[in-house]
Amino acid sequence: TADKLWTARRELKADALPAAELRLVLDVIPARGVTGQVVDVAGQPVAQADVELVFEKPRHTEGPWGSKASVKTKSDAKGEYAFGGVPKDWLVRVQASREGYGFVRGGGGEDTGDNLTCAPIVLETLSGQVRARVVDAAGKPVDGATAYVPGHVPPARVTSAADGEVTLTNLPARALTVVAQSGRRAVG
């Protein structure tokens, strides 16, 4: 059924050869659904976002801990997504992405027993652009300096040209800190 996850394991008799009869043992593992929504910073739904559910067997359970699995889906027109058959005692993490958007926050949830309802995953549009010129203390252009926005996901890093010019694209359209670094010196 949709609310149960079936697993199988093989048991062989110690003196059995490969041609020996196999016994199939099925364990029923209680499962739950995981639901949520992907929205932009204004709270509007983000349709067709790639949503990934990563789940991991916790250490305190029987069997090999640390086993991981993931499943993917897309958010619908309302920005909603749903996964079924997720083992109840496994740890889960939900993440979302979409071309032209960056992650802001969300994906944690509240377990209600048969369903884990996640907080909205918030994405922001990446339509911003920064053009700058990297210069040294004397005002001369710095060739080969790295310019970046700290903490920006996905990372935005570029190398300055001979004239010190840099252009960073696909940034959030808001105030940002840009850092330029050449050698061991950084200027923000």
Side-chain angles (χ1 to χ4, degrees):
T1 65
D3 62 337
K4 304 248 186 294
L5 179 69
W6 296 87
T7 62
R9 66 176 182 218
R10 292 183 346 176
E11 291 184 3
L12 295 174
K13 295 181 182 177
D15 60 345
L17 296 172
E21 180 179 323
L22 294 177
R23 220 177 68 177
L24 181 64
V25 178
L26 294 176
D27 294 326
V28 177
I29 298 173
R32 64 179 169 194
V34 176
T35 59
Q37 185 181 32
V38 182
V39 298
D40 64 16
V41 292
Q44 296 302 306
V46 176
Q48 297 301 304
D50 295 309
V51 183
E52 180 178 25
L53 170 73
V54 179
F55 47 105
E56 179 176 2
K57 189 172 189 175
R59 293 179 185 221
H60 70 275
T61 59
E62 186 180 318
W65 60 269
S67 301
K68 283 187 179 181
S70 70
V71 289
K72 296 179 181 181
T73 191
K74 292 232 183 235
S75 59
D76 64 16
K78 294 179 183 176
E80 296 174 348
Y81 61 87
F83 297 97
V86 180
K88 276 190 177 182
D89 63 340
W90 286 37
L91 307 171
V92 300
R93 180 180 76 244
V94 182
Q95 51 202 30
S97 63
R98 182 171 170 195
E99 183 71 29
Y101 287 82
F103 177 79
V104 177
R105 68 180 171 278
E110 181 179 332
D111 195 345
T112 59
D114 290 336
N115 194 55
L116 175 65
T117 303
C118 294
I121 297 174
V122 181
L123 303 178
E124 63 184 336
T125 50
L126 301 178
S127 60
Q129 176 176 299
V130 172
R131 294 182 104 149
R133 186 168 181 233
V134 181
V135 296
D136 63 16
K140 294 184 180 183
V142 177
D143 182 19
T146 301
Y148 61 96
V149 177
H152 179 62
V153 177
R157 292 183 177 273
V158 296
T159 302
S160 64
D163 63 359
E165 294 289 324
V166 293
T167 302
L168 293 151
T169 59
N170 295 325
L171 298 172
R174 57 179 164 82
L176 299 168
T177 299
V178 177
V179 175
Q181 184 173 356
S182 179
R184 295 181 181 206
R185 293 188 348 223
V187 179

